[in-house]
Amino acid sequence: MNRLSLLAATAIAVVAAAPAFAADLPARAAAPYTKAPGIVQAAYDWSGFYIGINGGWGTSDINWNLDGFGDEGSHHASGGTVGGQIGYRWQMASWVFGLEAQGNWADFKGSNISLIDLVSTNESKIDSFGLFTGQIGYAWDRALVYVKGGAAVTDNKFTSTTPGVGFDTTNETRWGATVGVGFEYAFAPSWSLGFEYDHLFMGNNDVVSNAGFIADHIKEDVDIFTARVNYKFGGPVVARY
């Protein structure tokens, strides 16, 4: 075989072996898959100090019981109220905990004719009240529902008037307990609007005036319905994934 024939044979062998060689090559690695970054959802954070105003209506169930003589009867002392509150909340997942102090001017008043002599009028008036409470709530982003409980104080004025004799009056500061429930919605980054109901258990106290015309066990319970607007200090949202 001459030289030219040898070169031709070698070329033919190389071409024939090329497909097999290509088959033996490793497959090209696929491009690695990279997960797209998660979408960040802004959720409202109820944590922080807040201050606000409230207003509404209240009613008190008052019972007078004259020492040694028995029941003088009951009446409802009702009227409007306006005041303010300050507090702090902190949020853990969807749970919200808080502490709050509230002070209100009130004009809850009512009266009834005494069942003892049927001529005297017993009048009750709540001039103001205060609430010092803890809160536990659950939040759905900008919506919050909560329950609360703690101490309550009322500033009371009691008056007894007897025609042809005169009248007697005395003031009393009374401490008791309160429970309540509320709903609040954050309608702006730092502003929220809420509605709240509170019941005050103020007990059955001895009330005696200086002149002695009032010497009664007076029982008092109060129901209060208010709308509230709060301003919260601090950042309005946190990032949640």
Side-chain angles (χ1 to χ4, degrees), residues 81-103:
T81 180
V82 64
Q85 63 273 349
I86 185 171
Y88 182 83
R89 289 178 174 140
W90 58 97
Q91 184 169 350
M92 301 175 60
S94 294
W95 293 97
V96 180
F97 305 89
L99 296 171
E100 183 181 278
Q102 175 180 337

Side-chain angles (χ1 to χ4, degrees), residues 8-21:
T10 303
I12 293 171
V14 170
V15 171
F21 177 76

Side-chain angles (χ1 to χ4, degrees), residues 109-131:
K109 55 186 176 182
S111 63
N112 69 279
I113 300 297
S114 172
L115 299 179
I116 300 296
D117 59 21
L118 302 180
V119 294
S120 299
T121 299
N122 295 328
E123 180 181 339
S124 305
K125 185 174 186 292
I126 298 178
D127 290 314
S128 61
F129 65 88
L131 306 178

Side-chain angles (χ1 to χ4, degrees), residues 2 21 29 41 55 60 89 92 106 112 120 148 161 165 206 225:
N2 59 30
F21 177 76
Q41 179 182 1
S60 180
R89 289 178 174 140
M92 301 175 60
N112 69 279
S120 299
K148 60 187 294 187
T161 303
V165 176
D206 289 323
F225 304 85

Side-chain angles (χ1 to χ4, degrees), residues 162-212:
T162 304
V165 176
F167 72 93
D168 191 15
T169 186
T170 186
N171 288 44
E172 177 207 42
T173 299
R174 182 178 298 201
W175 285 88
T178 182
V179 294
V181 61
F183 170 80
E184 201 164 329
Y185 183 79
F187 62 90
S190 293
W191 293 93
S192 59
L193 171 67
F195 301 93
E196 187 174 291
Y197 163 73
D198 298 288
H199 181 81
L200 280 58
F201 304 88
M202 304 311 295
N204 190 348
N205 287 7
D206 289 323
V207 179
V208 180
S209 65
N210 291 330

